[in-house]
Amino acid sequence: MHYQKSLPRLPVPKLEDTIKRYLAAQRPLLDDDQFSTTEKLARDFENGVGKQLHKELVAQDKQNKHTSYISAPWFDMYLSARDSVVLNFNPFMSFNPDPKTEYNDQLVRATNMVASAVRFMKTLRAGLLEPEVFHLNPAKSNTDGFKKLIRWVPSSLSWYGAFMVNAYPLDMSQYFRLFNATRIPKQEKDELFTDPKGRHLLVMRGGNMYVFDVVDRDGNLVKPAEIQAHLKHIMSDPTPAAAHPLGLLTSENRDTWAGLREKLLAAGNGEVLGLVDSALFCLCLDDESMKDHIHVSHNMLHGDGTNRWYDKSFSIIMAKCGNAAINFEHSWGDGVAVLRFQNEVFKDSTENPLVNPGSQPAAVDSAAAVRRLQFNLDAELENGVTKAKENFHAAVSKLTIDAMQFMKGGKEQLKKKKLSPDAIAQLAFQMGFLRQYGQTVATYESCSTAAFRHGRTETIRPATIHTQRCAQAFVQQPGKHSVEQLIGMLSECSKYHGQLTKEAAMAQGFDRHLFAMKYMANSKGQALHSLYQDPAYAAINHNILSTSTLTSPAVNLGGFAPVVPDGFGVGYGIHDEWIGCNVSSYPERNVHEFLQCVHKSLDDIFSVLEGRPLT
């Protein structure tokens, strides 16, 4: 928390900038008549109602200097959503395998990961976890010398010290909700619950739930050999798979689940539910081995619903083959905190494993230490589980996932050509969609605003007049332009995307600002301005291409479902020599064809960069 006090506040953009950016993002999505209507509405908003809302937002922000203008509305947006968290909100990120093959045994790896997770939690709570910093010049700032120096700069000034060496400390306010935390279903709006006193781990296997302490009374990690013994005891428990696996309820519509939870409490299950909610985190031990990437994606994103508690802040899912992933609930935090945790756990469990394949589990009485949770269920609750199972299967059976690896080039080649790798990947999605469906559609790329106090995310809008022009040239007029002209277009797309990315990271997008003003009008009971009633506003927020990227030495692949029924959920990673995409869709779209079109687009782009004309 060394930098937390001096982190800059999330700026509220100028209203005229927001309107200008909004209209620029709308331009490629609308024909001339539609655009002229949208432009009139936006100008009217800017000179009237918007001016007033913006003024009120700025005034309210000035009175709440401890936080950011987006924090409360964003929590509210997530927690008020009534859709199931499965597919609609929870994403997954899978771990790379342990480089030492024999350590990928389910029991060994689960033990090591649990131990590393507890070590991370203890480091975090002792105030010893190194602050998360984005280094623009790591040779200068990511050094022992700089760290020794900055230690002596008081918290109220430390941010400026980092800023001087081109390093941006990131907000750490979400981290306390990583552990002992759960989303509790309530009618109309859920609540986030945290109980740092919990010392136990929640383990699920075969839909049964178990708890045992992984932290002792003095706050120390329980001996790894004991953790191993307890996990082994659970893995060899002969209890049949749960007939009515309660975890399924966490996949329900939130109001339905809130009602059933009240019934669970009324039936005398308060104490066991309390143990679930206050557990450090959830470890799901699956009895199935993973066949391939696609199997991993389906299993880690949703599974069969019986061996998950989707409301926990995060779960580590461990397949029989030692394939592991994190699935996390999204309302409490964004990918930044979870990724830091995942990176640290991967590094610690692979470099300093506390048990090895030859380790003997401790000779302890696991039967006494491990408690299998038992719930009183009446016919109504059993029926609720059955119904949840039907709804769950109806939802996930519609989801298709496919992956692609483009092996002809990646980050290195693009940087040599002075092109932004992210811009080129995003351009390939625009080209791919144009080739498949003949149109330009609303596209969302998430960007963290963690460089600010209580920042969350801002949207980058990758569909621009530049990508539209370039995609049309590549897809619809392949013979018409020279290699030089095409390279010029690629460069134009790259520059503009780079500018949008920089703006979003500095909280200078338009999405969050418009959202916050709309939220403000709603909370005051004011009628919404016609800008918000415009079909074009609805359309740009109906994100057919929802995209998110990350690369990390710990992560093998990540994924999420589309955010709209006729959309794609595009997870992608740009590596030094190759580009990978993991994409999901519902029946209204064809994901296999989309990936073929994206692959063809990347092929064309790299051909042109090598000086070959399009044929």
Side-chain angles (χ1 to χ4, degrees):
M1 288 296 179
H2 184 59
Y3 296 108
Q4 199 67 21
K5 274 202 183 93
S6 55
L7 277 181
R9 300 203 56 227
L10 186 77
V12 180
K14 290 184 178 138
L15 183 59
E16 61 265 34
D17 290 346
T18 288
I19 297 300
K20 189 173 89 217
R21 291 174 181 135
Y22 171 63
L23 290 172
Q26 283 286 20
R27 188 59 278 213
L29 308 179
L30 304 172
D31 65 27
D32 292 351
D33 287 351
Q34 292 168 324
F35 183 72
S36 134
T37 305
T38 294
E39 190 173 27
K40 279 194 195 81
L41 292 173
R43 296 286 171 228
D44 184 68
F45 178 77
E46 182 183 0
N47 298 317
V49 174
K51 201 175 248 176
Q52 187 54 34
L53 285 171
H54 174 76
K55 207 169 112 187
E56 287 171 21
L57 183 65
V58 170
Q60 187 186 58
D61 183 56
K62 280 210 172 94
Q63 287 171 347
N64 292 282
K65 293 205 162 134
H66 61 288
T67 185
S68 71
Y69 79 91
I70 200 63
S71 187
W74 211 238
F75 274 123
D76 200 29
M77 180 266 306
Y78 270 123
L79 294 171
S80 303
R82 300 292 82 194
D83 292 328
S84 164
V85 295
V86 183
L87 302 188
N88 299 304
F89 295 104
N90 288 29
F92 83 91
M93 301 190 282
S94 76
F95 283 94
N96 271 320
D98 191 309
K100 302 183 294 299
T101 325
E102 66 280 16
Y103 279 79
N104 289 306
D105 170 81
Q106 189 181 27
L107 177 60
V108 172
R109 197 169 198 202
T111 307
N112 281 323
M113 280 198 175
V114 168
S116 293
V118 174
R119 293 174 63 172
F120 179 93
M121 182 273 294
K122 291 193 57 188
T123 310
L124 172 68
R125 290 194 179 153
L128 299 172
L129 189 69
E130 210 175 283
E132 187 71 10
V133 176
F134 181 65
H135 299 275
L136 276 175
N137 184 357
K140 229 168 146 180
S141 54
N142 200 7
T143 62
D144 289 342
F146 174 73
K147 286 172 190 173
K148 283 199 180 102
L149 182 72
I150 200 74
R151 254 177 221 166
W152 298 101
V153 180
S155 258
S156 53
L157 297 170
S158 54
W159 181 86
Y160 300 94
F163 180 71
M164 300 298 278
V165 291
N166 227 347
Y168 291 86
L170 303 183
D171 177 72
M172 305 281 287
S173 66
Q174 294 175 5
Y175 283 64
F176 83 97
R177 284 214 169 89
L178 260 171
F179 298 101
N180 303 100
T182 302
R183 174 173 174 160
I184 309 273
K186 299 274 180 185
Q187 297 294 339
E188 291 181 17
K189 184 182 169 185
D190 293 356
E191 284 168 14
L192 292 174
F193 167 86
T194 313
D195 176 13
K197 293 188 294 298
R199 295 186 282 121
H200 58 287
L201 173 71
L202 171 66
V203 183
M204 298 186 72
R205 180 175 166 258
N208 290 308
M209 300 164 90
Y210 307 80
V211 293
F212 64 84
D213 284 355
V214 285
V215 176
D216 68 18
R217 287 212 163 86
D218 301 323
N220 298 314
L221 171 69
V222 165
K223 287 193 186 74
E226 291 185 22
I227 294 175
Q228 186 182 10
H230 299 338
L231 290 174
K232 188 176 180 183
H233 170 81
I234 291 169
M235 284 158 83
S236 50
D237 179 17
T239 307
H244 296 92
L246 266 200
L248 276 162
L249 296 182
T250 64
S251 74
E252 259 293 9
N253 164 285
R254 303 307 293 177
D255 283 337
T256 308
W257 169 210
L260 288 165
R261 187 184 162 93
E262 287 306 318
K263 294 197 164 74
L264 273 170
L265 293 170
N269 297 295
E271 187 251 348
V272 270
L273 275 174
L275 287 170
V276 172
D277 296 337
S278 62
L280 267 167
F281 61 93
C282 178
L283 170 69
C284 307
L285 297 172
D286 288 355
D287 285 331
E288 183 174 26
S289 290
M290 299 292 100
K291 296 191 283 286
D292 53 28
H293 274 334
I294 309 297
H295 190 190
V296 168
S297 290
H298 279 289
N299 191 56
M300 305 312 187
L301 184 62
H302 56 79
D304 72 356
T306 60
N307 205 42
R308 304 281 182 271
W309 194 268
Y310 299 105
D311 288 354
K312 282 305 278 179
S313 55
F314 74 89
S315 298
I316 293 181
I317 302 166
M318 182 79 62
K320 189 126 188 93
C321 52
N323 215 309
I326 289 178
N327 178 298
F328 68 97
E329 197 282 308
H330 217 322
S331 65
W332 66 271
D334 304 302
V336 186
V338 183
L339 185 61
R340 169 73 184 271
F341 167 73
Q342 187 158 5
N343 287 340
E344 300 281 5
V345 164
F346 180 76
K347 189 171 159 54
D348 190 59
S349 63
T350 54
E351 292 176 10
N352 315 302
L354 296 180
V355 302
N356 61 52
S359 304
Q360 281 309 304
V364 287
D365 185 0
S366 287
V370 177
R371 173 177 168 192
R372 183 163 64 85
L373 301 183
Q374 288 179 301
F375 293 85
N376 306 320
L377 303 183
D378 59 19
E380 192 178 5
L381 285 163
E382 288 184 351
N383 187 34
V385 173
T386 308
K387 201 139 184 82
K389 188 173 189 164
E390 289 165 13
N391 293 340
F392 178 88
H393 285 292
V396 302
S397 64
K398 295 193 180 94
L399 186 80
T400 307
I401 299 177
D402 198 6
M404 174 212 80
Q405 289 177 319
F406 176 80
M407 303 309 289
K408 295 180 193 169
K411 202 182 283 178
E412 292 297 314
Q413 251 172 292
L414 293 168
K415 282 188 163 165
K416 275 194 193 110
K417 301 280 183 191
K418 300 204 165 28
L419 293 172
S420 144
D422 190 59
I424 296 304
Q426 286 288 347
L427 174 62
F429 304 146
Q430 293 300 317
M431 278 185 196
F433 197 90
L434 183 71
R435 184 178 294 278
Q436 190 180 7
Y437 295 106
Q439 59 188 142
T440 302
V441 290
T443 308
Y444 181 108
E445 179 182 359
S446 60
C447 177
S448 170
T449 50
F452 300 95
R453 185 180 314 154
H454 292 193
R456 293 289 307 238
T457 55
E458 182 52 272
T459 310
I460 300 168
R461 292 294 187 167
T464 66
I465 51 172
H466 305 287
T467 62
Q468 190 174 44
R469 199 176 298 143
C470 185
Q472 284 167 349
F474 271 75
V475 175
Q476 294 167 342
Q477 315 147 344
K480 201 173 143 188
H481 304 269
S482 69
V483 168
E484 291 70 38
Q485 285 172 315
L486 292 171
I487 289 178
M489 287 185 202
L490 293 175
S491 166
E492 197 57 45
C493 288
S494 172
K495 276 209 283 284
Y496 193 69
H497 186 80
Q499 181 196 328
L500 289 180
T501 304
K502 201 179 264 169
E503 285 174 1
M506 297 315 286
Q508 296 295 325
F510 67 84
D511 282 88
R512 299 299 173 269
H513 187 198
L514 286 179
F515 173 83
M517 288 187 287
K518 181 183 178 187
Y519 180 87
M520 184 147 225
N522 277 333
S523 62
K524 294 194 143 131
Q526 293 171 8
L528 283 181
H529 182 271
S530 36
L531 171 132
Y532 292 115
Q533 321 276 4
D534 182 8
Y537 180 79
I540 203 170
N541 287 299
H542 182 91
N543 290 297
I544 289 173
L545 286 168
S546 177
T547 73
S548 187
T549 183
L550 61 96
T551 41
S552 140
V555 176
N556 186 273
L557 83 167
F560 50 94
V563 296
V564 292
D566 57 340
F568 288 115
V570 183
Y572 64 105
I574 307 164
H575 306 266
D576 287 345
E577 306 297 337
W578 62 283
I579 297 170
C581 301
N582 197 28
V583 184
S584 63
S585 78
Y586 292 120
E588 287 185 47
R589 299 281 178 196
N590 182 333
V591 69
H592 312 296
E593 199 175 273
F594 176 68
L595 282 173
Q596 286 168 350
C597 292
V598 170
H599 196 281
K600 164 81 173 129
S601 304
L602 288 167
D603 253 341
D604 287 351
I605 291 167
F606 277 81
S607 285
V608 164
L609 290 176
E610 282 157 17
R612 293 201 297 279
L614 289 177
T615 49

